[in-house]
Amino acid sequence: MKAIVITTPGGPEVLQLQEVDDPQFKDDEVLIRVHATALNRADTLQRKGAYPPPQGASPYPGLECSGIIESVGKNVSKWKIGDQVCALLAGGGYAEKVAVPEGQVLPVPPGISLKDATSFPEVASTVWSTIFMMSRLSKGEILLIHGGSSGIGTFAIQIAKYIGAKVFVTAGSEEKLTFCKSLGADVGINYKTEDFVERVKEETGGQGVDVILDCMGASYYKRNLDSLNFDGRLFIIGFQGGVSTEVDLRPFLAKRLTVQGAGLRSRSPENKALIISEVEKNVWPAIAEGKVKPVVYKSFPLAEAAEAHRLMESSQHIGKILLVP
């Protein structure tokens, strides 16, 4: 099969389409012929050598895909050859075929094309497992999403509105904020021209928000704590603003704050299967109702993965960027 190989750690130009061996699949895995895959920020880190795949995972990038099941392992009961599916991967999506444990596979949601279905597994699993399963965002609460126009952001806006939360977002341009509002965001904050803490306090009568989904890490840490209401929860899913900072612990006691963090890729297959079943139960109905839509900015042929990475690293996109073998 053909796959995108990281020929050496470096810039987008190191991504090369090459002929490689077909993946071997285990008894509890299915082999998917990939119809489309989607970029995630983690792919750019892997390309630079900063985010190696977990042990035993495919060496090729790509954390989600959609496609058609071509073979099934002898212990697989849920899927059959020919099923149209999408899947959460530990790697290997940038290829014509990928092997994946059956518990990480989802049916294509009703009303969604096979191609667009690839835009959901990683964002839905990340958002549902963090701000819902762990931070317990509930109806009537306020969620602040940093990077509201990203793939994760555009999905989080829609699913949070679906469950009845109020949504604040930060983004770096008026165009991005306008788009976030079209998805349902209640308050848009331009982080380049406004202090998000001041704006949060202004919009909440000095109270703060209940949950924050943060991809920045160190650079936003203190300001995130300042933005939280009593019993507020900060959930960190990325370190785009660094990994190390000093902390004043007093607000934790004064405001009863919780700080959580989690990655998705390094979780066990059992843990991922649990998340996937929760996603199918809670998110798929919202997609079927048309309340959560795929947000796809652009698709590239698989051979143009380098160009797709350049677009992602420019941060000009809104939503997801796809690759099609």
Side-chain angles (χ1 to χ4, degrees):
M1 69 168 184
K2 290 189 171 70
I4 291 291
V5 177
I6 300 168
T7 51
T8 182
E13 70 283 352
V14 306
L15 299 173
Q16 302 286 332
L17 189 65
Q18 296 183 0
E19 199 73 38
V20 300
D21 290 339
D22 280 4
Q24 301 296 307
F25 62 97
K26 301 184 184 124
D27 291 345
D28 61 348
E29 292 183 333
V30 300
L31 185 68
I32 297 173
R33 175 163 285 281
V34 176
H35 185 78
T37 186
L39 271 66
N40 289 280
R41 190 71 61 173
D43 305 345
T44 65
L45 297 175
Q46 180 174 341
R47 189 199 73 223
K48 293 172 188 170
Y51 192 39
Q55 199 172 358
S58 167
Y60 315 120
L63 299 176
E64 57 197 330
C65 75
S66 59
I68 295 170
I69 292 183
E70 201 167 80
S71 302
V72 296
K74 65 172 192 249
N75 297 339
V76 171
S77 56
K78 192 176 175 186
W79 307 104
K80 62 185 189 303
I81 292 168
D83 283 346
Q84 296 202 358
V85 296
C86 54
L88 180 68
L89 312 173
Y94 291 25
E96 292 178 325
K97 298 177 186 181
V98 67
V100 57
E102 70 166 335
Q104 290 164 224
V105 180
L106 286 152
V108 170
I112 301 297
S113 71
L114 184 57
K115 180 177 161 186
D116 284 352
T118 193
S119 68
F120 283 122
E122 177 76 17
V123 294
S125 300
T126 296
V127 172
W128 194 263
S129 66
T130 55
I131 54 179
F132 294 99
M133 290 171 74
M134 290 177 74
S135 292
R136 305 281 176 206
L137 178 72
S138 54
K139 187 177 179 178
E141 289 193 313
I142 304 174
L143 168 68
L144 169 61
I145 303 162
H146 290 305
S149 62
S150 67
I152 281 175
T154 51
F155 174 83
I157 293 166
Q158 297 180 81
I159 196 68
K161 291 301 292 181
Y162 178 76
I163 67 113
K166 192 171 181 182
V167 177
F168 293 14
V169 298
T170 63
S173 74
E174 294 310 312
E175 179 202 3
K176 288 180 175 180
L177 291 171
T178 300
F179 189 85
C180 290
K181 287 184 173 172
S182 77
L183 292 176
D186 299 283
V187 174
I189 304 165
N190 186 330
Y191 68 79
K192 290 182 179 169
T193 60
E194 299 179 87
D195 176 354
F196 72 80
V197 183
E198 274 179 29
R199 190 71 196 286
V200 160
K201 291 293 171 69
E202 191 185 306
E203 295 284 349
T204 60
Q207 298 284 299
V209 299
D210 301 294
V211 177
I212 300 175
L213 184 62
D214 174 57
C215 55
M216 295 304 293
S219 61
Y220 275 20
Y221 191 78
K222 183 183 184 305
R223 286 187 288 162
N224 278 332
L225 297 185
D226 291 345
S227 302
L228 285 170
N229 196 355
F230 287 94
D231 299 307
R233 291 88 77 197
L234 166 62
F235 210 108
I236 299 170
I237 57 165
F239 308 115
Q240 289 177 44
V243 298
S244 181
T245 184
E246 280 202 359
V247 188
D248 178 349
L249 295 171
R250 288 171 295 186
F252 285 86
L253 274 63
K255 294 202 287 184
R256 304 183 296 275
L257 303 181
T258 303
V259 178
Q260 296 167 297
L264 186 59
R265 187 183 197 180
S266 58
R267 292 174 185 246
S268 69
E270 294 75 20
N271 194 259
K272 287 178 182 172
L274 172 68
I275 292 167
I276 286 291
S277 76
E278 290 291 311
V279 164
E280 186 172 358
K281 196 162 61 187
N282 295 287
V283 176
W284 256 223
I287 299 171
E289 285 174 42
K291 295 288 196 290
V292 174
K293 296 183 167 72
V295 180
V296 175
Y297 184 74
K298 194 171 180 183
S299 297
F300 291 86
L302 185 60
E304 292 174 25
E307 208 45 51
H309 273 229
R310 284 186 193 99
L311 174 60
M312 173 163 264
E313 290 180 311
S314 77
S315 289
Q316 289 171 341
H317 63 292
I318 292 173
K320 297 288 282 191
I321 300 165
L322 308 189
L323 292 174
V324 181

